[in-house]
């Protein structure tokens, strides 16, 4: 179960999230269009509780003719957050797909470092045939769901973690120094590694335990989930 402090943090993140929606999006939230049908059961969705009344003073309705189908937080996000960079910023701050079910996911404290596909991390140059290719066979990727490295005995290939300050990470790679409760987060440049991360101890949430396999199609499907109807969103590889 989440501690009181953790619950307060999640609530604070939600306040930041609604503030972001209220003041940062073009056109506001009024009369937001619902993306997908409203459902009564949300077995695989977290930000799926219908929003009633107002969000920071801005009234949100499904449509003028269907006020009963109130939008969920995730639907508000889908209707207003358009760029991949915005989704990534939100995911860094809060697990946007899972915040309402955080207590269901195991929390593990790990030491997290950063790496690139370059010679400084992998010993490979861009002309190497395996440059940017992970242990799983997929290419390194920085996205809403990014590729990360971990000890397969702790986090099998395909495991999905939420890492505070980084976002969602999918275990796709391994490393000779990545043993036990250590993870290595992919960044596109060495400067990003130093400026945005370095080395930290963080408490990650295990969203999904992998089965030892990961394909390009799996990774793409995870990144496509942010614009899917609730009933189709399922964390699995």
């Amino acid at each position: 179960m989440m501690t009181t402090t953790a619950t307060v943090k999640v609530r604070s993140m939600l306040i930041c999230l609604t503030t972001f929606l209220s003041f940062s999006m073009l056109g506001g939230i009024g009369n937001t269009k619902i993306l997908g049908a409203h459902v009564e059961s949300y077995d695989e969705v977290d930000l799926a509780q219908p929003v009633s009344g107002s969000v920071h003073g801005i009234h949100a309705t499904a449509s003028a003719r269907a006020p009963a189908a109130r939008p969920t937080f995730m639907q508000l996000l889908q209707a207003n957050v358009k760029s991949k960079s915005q989704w990534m910023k939100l995911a860094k701050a809060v697990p946007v797909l899972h915040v309402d079910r955080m207590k269901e996911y195991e929390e593990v404290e790990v030491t997290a470092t950063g790496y690139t596909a370059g010679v400084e991390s992998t010993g490979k140059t861009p002309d190497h045939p395996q440059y940017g290719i992970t242990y799983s066979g997929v290419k390194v990727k920085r996205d809403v769901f990014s590729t990360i490295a971990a000890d397969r005995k702790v986090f099998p290939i395909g495991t999905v973690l939420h890492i505070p300050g980084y976002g969602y990470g999918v275990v796709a790679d391994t490393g000779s120094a990545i043993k036990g409760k250590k993870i290595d987060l992919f960044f596109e440049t060495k400067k990003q590694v130093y400026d945005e991360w370095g080395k930290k101890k963080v408490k990650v949430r295990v969203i999904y335990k992998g089965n030892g396999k990961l394909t390009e199609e799996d990774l793409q499907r995870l990144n496509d989930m942010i614009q899917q109807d609730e009933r189709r969103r399922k964390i699995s590889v």
Side-chain angles (χ1 to χ4, degrees):
M1 296 294 289
M2 295 178 64
T3 62
T4 301
T5 301
T7 302
V8 170
K9 288 182 178 179
V10 169
R11 288 175 179 171
S12 297
M13 287 190 287
L14 279 174
I15 291 172
C16 292
L17 186 62
T18 54
T19 301
F20 177 84
L21 282 173
S22 299
F23 297 106
S24 299
M25 299 303 171
L26 295 175
I29 301 178
N31 295 322
T32 300
K33 180 182 179 182
I34 293 296
L35 303 183
H38 180 78
V39 293
E40 296 180 357
S41 177
Y42 297 93
D43 293 331
E44 281 113 8
V45 184
D46 305 300
L47 286 182
Q49 295 305 312
V51 177
S52 59
S54 302
V55 179
H56 278 266
I58 300 177
H59 188 65
T61 60
S63 70
R65 293 181 297 175
R70 294 191 298 268
T72 67
F73 271 109
M74 192 61 200
Q75 288 165 339
L76 287 175
L77 287 173
Q78 288 176 323
N80 291 277
V81 183
K82 299 305 181 183
S83 73
K84 189 61 69 71
S85 63
Q86 287 177 325
W87 279 109
M88 290 174 69
K89 287 179 181 179
L90 285 172
K92 282 183 181 181
V94 57
V96 290
L97 293 172
H98 304 91
V99 72
D100 282 357
R101 291 169 59 187
M102 289 282 281
K103 62 184 179 183
E104 298 180 18
Y105 303 109
E106 179 186 6
E107 186 178 67
V108 181
E109 185 174 71
V110 301
T111 298
T113 50
Y115 80 105
T116 71
V119 65
E120 66 278 352
S121 296
T122 66
K124 299 171 184 174
T125 56
D127 59 350
H128 192 285
Q130 292 297 307
Y131 181 81
I133 305 300
T134 65
Y135 177 89
S136 66
V138 306
K139 294 180 181 179
V140 290
K141 190 178 187 70
R142 184 72 175 105
D143 211 319
V144 178
F145 287 82
S146 304
T147 55
I148 65 173
D151 186 336
R152 291 180 295 146
K153 295 180 180 178
V154 180
F155 301 120
I157 297 295
T159 295
V160 178
L161 306 177
H162 182 266
I163 305 107
Y166 181 79
Y168 288 103
V170 186
V171 178
D173 214 350
T174 60
S176 59
I178 308 302
K179 303 297 181 185
K181 293 181 180 180
K182 294 181 179 180
I183 59 176
D184 215 8
L185 314 178
F186 174 70
F187 289 89
E188 293 177 338
T189 68
K190 184 167 62 174
K191 186 176 187 301
Q192 289 174 340
V193 172
Y194 290 116
D195 291 351
E196 298 180 25
W197 198 261
K199 182 178 181 180
K200 302 178 184 179
K201 277 196 172 182
V202 292
K203 291 182 179 179
V204 303
R205 292 279 178 176
V206 183
I207 305 298
Y208 172 82
K209 197 71 171 285
N211 62 6
K213 297 179 181 179
L214 182 69
T215 67
E216 291 285 357
E217 291 75 17
D218 293 329
L219 193 57
Q220 187 59 51
R221 181 165 50 80
L222 288 171
N223 279 295
D224 286 344
M225 283 197 313
I226 57 175
Q227 289 297 341
Q228 288 181 348
D229 178 87
E230 284 96 336
R231 293 169 296 180
R232 296 179 59 195
R233 283 201 302 273
K234 182 178 180 181
I235 298 287
S236 65
V237 296

